Amino acid sequence: MKQSMTLIPTMREIPADADVKSHQLLLRAGFIRQNASGIYSFLPLGKKVLQNIEQIVREEMMAAGAVEVLMPALQQAELWQESGRWYSYGPELMRLKDRHDREFALGATHEEVITSLIKDEVKSYKKLPLTLYQIQTKFRDEKRPRFGLLRGREFIMKDAYSFHSSQESLDDVYQKMYKAYSNIFERCGLNYRAVIADSGAMGGKDTHEFMVLSEIGEDTIAYSTESDFAANIEMAPVDVKYEKSSDAPDSLKKVDTPDQKSIDQVSGFLNKKPEECIKTMIFKVDNEYVAVLARGDHEINDIKVKNALGAVSVELAAPEETKEKMDCPVGSLGPIGIEDMKILADTAVEFIVNGVCGANEEGVHFINVNPGRDFNADYADLRFIQEGDPSPDGKGIIQFAKGIEVGHVFKLGTRYSEAMNAAYLDENGRSQPMIMGCYGIGVSRTLAAVAEQFNDEKGFVWPKNITPYDIHLIPVNVKDEAQTKLADELYASLLQHRYEVLHDDRQERPGVKFADSDLIGLPVRITVGKKAADGIVEVKLRETGEVFEYTKAELLEKLQ
Ligand code: ATP
Ligand code: MG
Ligand code: MG
Ligand code: MG
């Protein structure tokens, strides 16, 4: 590409409203321009990087057995009403009306559209499994669009959806997608980590996020120094309804008293009779009864929402006087795995007395348990996890890192197929809801994440696999005939060798050309300068700054 023919509007100044490196450089090097808050145009260089990432995504999707489709961005409200998300998705969903006053949404995601499509087109187990994907513009009216492409209101996503007749088949495709995602982010050169995630509003259970490690990341990851354990500690709050319950089963109301020593201890603290020191509180979480054994003077302060590992924790507040006496503002019972609560609802008291959970300060709980030490590792509430704690899987210690979520895979189960009646006939002719998975990658966010990771003080340093061009060819003085001639010859040869070349044929000062070249950051720069008369050019590697001199023949030999 001749630089005089394309549009690369570089800027020397750092744009005032861009506060992270990737955003500043994408603007300065002329890759993108902002139209409105969270809404961007991709200029030629930006579009090329986007295409390169998309190409990697397409190759890996194909390898995972997924087939490309393209669905509408404009979606009828009815579909979202059927799934219930018209009411639960909130203001992030952009809604509009057509001329007949019918309601629509701009696609924030496509579970509804694809489920309604597959429901009509696939009726038999023989057609399953099936995995479809698309690369498309998504719309989300984000509360705080920021960091350029990292959190836009209009952005490009690859979203894939799989349909199955068995859980094993879903597990199999989930694994393939997980692998495909790892390949994609590796090929993009990203320093990433797959982490256990929260299913949030999507209603899934098994789910992982792919996080690019970066200081500007909005998520916090807890990971082990010695094992694969890694999880997003930030909770997407789901509504956990709770109420104190008097209609609980009798078995729950029977309190097994904890050991005498603990009672004596509490009794001493509170200066109350032993029988007043302990009480059972019963409440409902997600329609399940849960019993918590608490100190006599405690009230339920708050029941925390589910966290990334599906755990619910209960916070109990002590009255002011006790707080002072004990230096213990909040006694906390929990974390308790919600799965365990369900299974153990009848024996929850025993569960607690046995010391699976306890207060969060030594000496103020009934039974001598401590978070981190005695909690069921599988359900450890990560909100309590601190750097330096032992990893919940028992291997290594916990470190924190900030991450940018670039991909997300979910096992959706039958959440959408049941709501929208997407069923197939099994081998015995019985109707069954389809089992689903969904898999998203923020393509434009991935571009920004690479931009964030690959730069230095002069500009971008694009990794080979996704660089907009391989080579920046720069004749220093286009009025010099020898230089122009050699540059033109090289340009033709390089194209013949299938290199992507940006040819700076502009009549600009050398300083401008080199500064632009550093800013744009292509992996290899070929400078055709004074030695052109002797047929010699200079090759400079952007990453290391190494410089070599070659004749045209040597260069072509090297580049074979
Ligand atoms: P976030 O937690 O950052 O808001 P999300 O969990 O809402 O993201 P998903 O619904 O999982 O996003 O969508 C799949 C992928 O789309 C995300 O992993 C992310 O890479 C990308 N994505 C989501 N929201 C945006 C956005 N506003 N701008 C750019 N990319 C986004
Ligand atoms: Mg979001
Ligand atoms: Mg998220
Ligand atoms: Mg997500």
Side-chain angles (χ1 to χ4, degrees):
M1 172 61 62
K2 299 219 164 139
Q3 210 161 325
S4 62
M5 292 172 66
T6 183
L7 177 67
I8 309 177
T10 54
M11 300 185 249
R12 292 285 168 264
E13 301 299 314
I14 296 174
D17 51 350
D19 38 17
V20 296
K21 203 73 203 266
S22 55
H23 191 200
Q24 292 169 0
L25 284 175
L26 286 168
L27 290 167
R28 286 185 56 210
F31 282 58
I32 60 168
R33 282 294 180 268
Q34 181 176 326
N35 290 62
S37 169
I39 303 176
Y40 293 87
S41 295
F42 290 86
L43 304 188
L45 289 180
K47 175 67 178 161
K48 280 210 106 202
V49 180
L50 204 55
Q51 270 169 340
N52 291 339
I53 297 173
E54 288 176 4
Q55 179 59 24
I56 292 174
V57 169
R58 288 196 165 95
E59 286 169 18
E60 295 296 339
M61 282 299 107
M62 187 147 70
V67 187
E68 187 165 3
V69 294
L70 184 58
M71 290 180 274
L74 206 50
Q75 308 179 352
Q76 303 129 276
E78 284 81 1
L79 291 179
W80 287 75
Q81 284 157 0
E82 239 182 280
S83 75
R85 287 206 291 184
W86 185 257
Y87 314 102
S88 64
Y89 209 94
E92 242 178 61
L93 188 64
M94 293 202 169
R95 299 158 209 247
L96 64 158
K97 285 185 179 162
D98 72 5
R99 64 169 73 199
H100 306 294
D101 234 22
R102 286 188 206 110
E103 287 185 298
F104 284 82
L106 287 178
T109 173
H110 277 69
E111 283 80 9
E112 282 80 0
V113 174
I114 198 147
T115 306
S116 101
L117 175 79
I118 296 304
K119 160 189 173 172
D120 291 340
E121 303 307 327
V122 175
K123 308 277 189 198
S124 160
Y125 73 95
K126 289 181 196 154
K127 287 251 196 180
L128 299 173
L130 179 67
T131 309
L132 301 173
Y133 79 96
Q134 64 175 348
I135 296 178
Q136 202 211 27
T137 301
K138 296 278 189 277
F139 301 87
R140 293 184 186 180
D141 201 355
E142 297 279 356
K143 196 171 179 190
R144 286 185 69 198
R146 60 183 192 149
F147 297 166
L149 299 180
L150 284 171
R151 185 168 297 283
R153 295 197 296 163
E154 175 177 327
F155 59 96
I156 297 167
M157 197 201 285
K158 185 285 302 178
D159 45 329
Y161 305 88
S162 66
F163 296 82
H164 310 266
S165 58
S166 72
Q167 186 64 37
E168 295 72 48
S169 167
L170 171 62
D171 293 346
D172 175 51
V173 169
Y174 188 86
Q175 275 316 313
K176 289 196 170 111
M177 281 290 174
Y178 189 103
K179 180 80 184 102
Y181 275 42
S182 307
N183 293 346
I184 289 166
F185 298 123
E186 230 146 80
R187 288 177 66 180
C188 289
L190 286 165
N191 180 14
Y192 74 96
R193 189 128 194 187
V195 310
I196 300 166
D198 185 281
S199 50
M202 303 288 281
K205 238 183 130 218
D206 289 274
T207 161
H208 289 86
E209 285 162 346
F210 288 77
M211 291 284 182
V212 169
L213 303 181
S214 164
E215 273 174 21
I216 63 153
E218 293 180 271
D219 292 271
T220 304
I221 305 160
Y223 67 95
S224 161
T225 48
E226 275 167 41
S227 73
D228 285 342
F229 177 86
N232 187 339
I233 68 165
E234 276 167 10
M235 295 177 293
V238 286
D239 245 351
V240 177
K241 300 262 181 320
Y242 74 92
E243 57 199 62
K244 285 186 195 166
S245 181
S246 51
D247 61 338
D250 279 345
S251 60
L252 269 186
K253 294 184 187 162
K254 268 191 266 136
V255 185
D256 277 344
T257 37
D259 63 276
Q260 195 58 45
K261 192 167 145 246
S262 304
I263 293 182
D264 290 346
Q265 195 185 13
V266 177
S267 167
F269 272 136
L270 299 180
N271 198 15
K272 281 191 176 151
K273 290 184 218 143
E275 58 270 26
E276 289 171 357
C277 294
I278 308 290
K279 69 179 176 189
T280 312
M281 288 191 263
I282 299 169
F283 48 91
K284 274 185 183 174
V285 177
D286 277 358
N287 284 326
E288 297 289 328
Y289 291 107
V290 176
V292 171
L293 189 66
R295 214 167 60 198
D297 62 335
H298 272 167
E299 280 304 321
I300 292 178
N301 189 30
D302 196 10
I303 296 186
K304 290 295 178 199
V305 294
K306 276 195 255 185
N307 78 350
L309 296 182
V312 168
S313 73
V314 182
E315 270 185 15
L316 301 172
E320 286 300 321
E321 34 165 328
T322 328
K323 276 190 210 168
E324 278 164 30
K325 213 187 292 179
M326 294 186 173
D327 189 26
C328 169
V330 176
S332 159
L333 283 174
I336 308 164
I338 191 148
E339 288 291 330
D340 280 34
M341 282 185 180
K342 282 178 184 164
I343 301 160
L344 292 169
D346 277 349
T347 55
V349 173
E350 187 189 323
F351 171 67
I352 289 159
V353 171
N354 281 346
V356 179
C357 54
N360 58 3
E361 215 146 311
E362 206 179 331
V364 294
H365 37 70
F366 305 124
I367 35 182
N368 189 24
V369 289
N370 289 294
R373 192 191 67 192
D374 303 323
F375 291 162
N376 179 341
D378 290 345
Y379 297 106
D381 185 338
L382 289 170
R383 288 175 315 137
F384 291 146
I385 279 196
Q386 298 294 325
E387 279 188 292
D389 280 354
S391 173
D393 65 0
K395 296 174 201 151
I397 58 160
I398 287 295
Q399 297 272 288
F400 282 180
K402 289 284 179 194
I404 301 169
E405 180 192 327
V406 284
H408 203 159
V409 292
F410 286 98
K411 291 182 188 174
L412 290 173
T414 55
R415 156 78 178 83
Y416 293 93
S417 49
E418 275 182 25
M420 301 181 73
N421 238 333
Y424 67 95
L425 293 179
D426 70 12
E427 282 148 307
N428 304 313
R430 275 194 302 251
S431 179
Q432 307 277 7
M434 292 186 197
I435 300 171
M436 291 173 59
C438 79
Y439 319 89
I441 286 184
V443 177
S444 46
R445 183 181 283 184
T446 299
L447 189 166
V450 176
E452 191 64 35
Q453 197 170 307
F454 291 90
N455 62 65
D456 63 16
E457 66 288 347
K458 291 180 181 160
F460 284 125
V461 185
W462 288 104
K464 283 202 181 74
N465 282 347
I466 68 165
T467 182
Y469 290 93
D470 303 313
I471 296 170
H472 211 164
L473 176 63
I474 305 181
V476 178
N477 177 3
V478 292
K479 286 186 179 154
D480 180 307
E481 227 172 88
Q483 290 186 27
T484 310
K485 185 163 170 287
L486 183 54
D488 286 348
E489 281 170 20
L490 271 176
Y491 183 55
S493 305
L494 291 168
L495 292 187
Q496 239 173 27
H497 285 81
R498 299 192 170 275
Y499 283 100
E500 295 260 9
V501 185
L502 184 62
H503 181 180
D504 192 354
D505 58 343
R506 296 174 305 162
Q507 199 176 317
E508 286 282 0
R509 282 182 292 115
V512 171
K513 289 189 164 198
F514 291 134
D516 278 353
S517 173
D518 281 337
L519 192 55
I520 292 167
L522 306 180
V524 176
R525 177 199 294 174
I526 300 175
T527 307
V528 184
K530 289 207 174 94
K531 291 187 182 167
D534 308 322
I536 291 172
V537 299
E538 182 195 279
V539 173
K540 187 171 181 184
L541 305 184
R542 179 67 180 84
E543 193 183 349
T544 60
E546 282 172 285
V547 178
F548 309 92
E549 285 196 344
Y550 293 124
T551 62
K552 182 185 159 195
E554 282 170 343
L555 178 66
L556 292 177
E557 176 91 353
K558 286 269 173 219
L559 292 173
Q560 290 286 330

